[in-house]
């Protein structure tokens, strides 16, 4: 099976974004390690939580693209169900992981 060029480009972009965001998270982690005082520590913690949340979303996108390219296997169906994430004490976010085309019914 030869993957469509659009799928390969989508996977490439997702992996590139993942690399960039992990680099940003490493910088945030280094900065958090040096944080002094309760406010600075709390801000660093919140920043790291947001970065982890964003990286998780990109990982879902990269996996769906890899499955569409034929480079990864489908996960269990429960892996593609929506779930809630509470990043702060006040805000809860609903995450809808992207599904590969074979699960979403958009098979090309």
């Amino acid at each position: 099976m030869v993957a469509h060029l659009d799928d390969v480009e989508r996977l490439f972009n997702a992996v590139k974004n993942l690399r960039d965001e992990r680099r940003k998270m490493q910088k945030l982690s280094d900065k958090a390690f040096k944080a002094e005082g309760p406010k600075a520590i709390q801000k660093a913690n919140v920043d790291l939580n947001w970065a982890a949340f964003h990286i998780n979303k990109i990982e879902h996108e990269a996996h769906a693209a890899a499955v569409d390219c034929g480079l990864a296997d489908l996960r269990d169906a429960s892996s593609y169900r929506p779930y809630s994430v509470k990043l702060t004490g006040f805000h809860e976010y609903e995450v809808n992981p992207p599904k590969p085309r074979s699960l979403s019914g958009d098979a090309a």
Side-chain angles (χ1 to χ4, degrees):
M1 175 181 123
V2 176
H4 292 281
L5 185 58
D6 291 341
D7 292 336
V8 174
E9 287 179 358
R10 193 176 64 151
L11 176 60
F12 176 75
N13 288 330
V15 171
K16 193 168 67 169
N17 288 341
L18 184 59
R19 178 201 62 199
D20 294 345
E21 291 302 319
R22 284 186 182 256
R23 284 180 179 166
K24 287 179 189 175
M25 188 167 180
Q26 184 60 49
K27 288 179 184 176
L28 283 173
S29 181
D30 293 343
K31 189 176 176 182
F33 185 70
K34 298 173 185 172
E36 293 182 17
K39 275 195 164 188
I41 292 170
Q42 183 180 13
K43 181 184 180 332
N45 200 10
V46 168
D47 290 346
L48 284 171
N49 284 342
W50 276 101
F53 175 68
H54 189 60
I55 286 172
N56 191 3
K57 287 175 64 176
I58 295 171
E59 286 174 345
H60 284 301
E61 292 170 11
H63 171 74
V67 170
D68 290 341
C69 286
L71 299 173
D73 294 328
L74 281 173
R75 294 179 179 158
D76 185 63
S78 64
S79 300
Y80 302 105
R81 288 188 191 134
Y83 60 93
S84 295
V85 176
K86 206 167 201 178
L87 294 177
T88 66
F90 306 106
H91 302 96
E92 189 169 351
Y93 298 92
E94 183 80 15
V95 178
N96 293 305
K99 296 178 184 176
R101 273 194 302 276
S102 59
L103 282 181
S104 63
D106 298 353

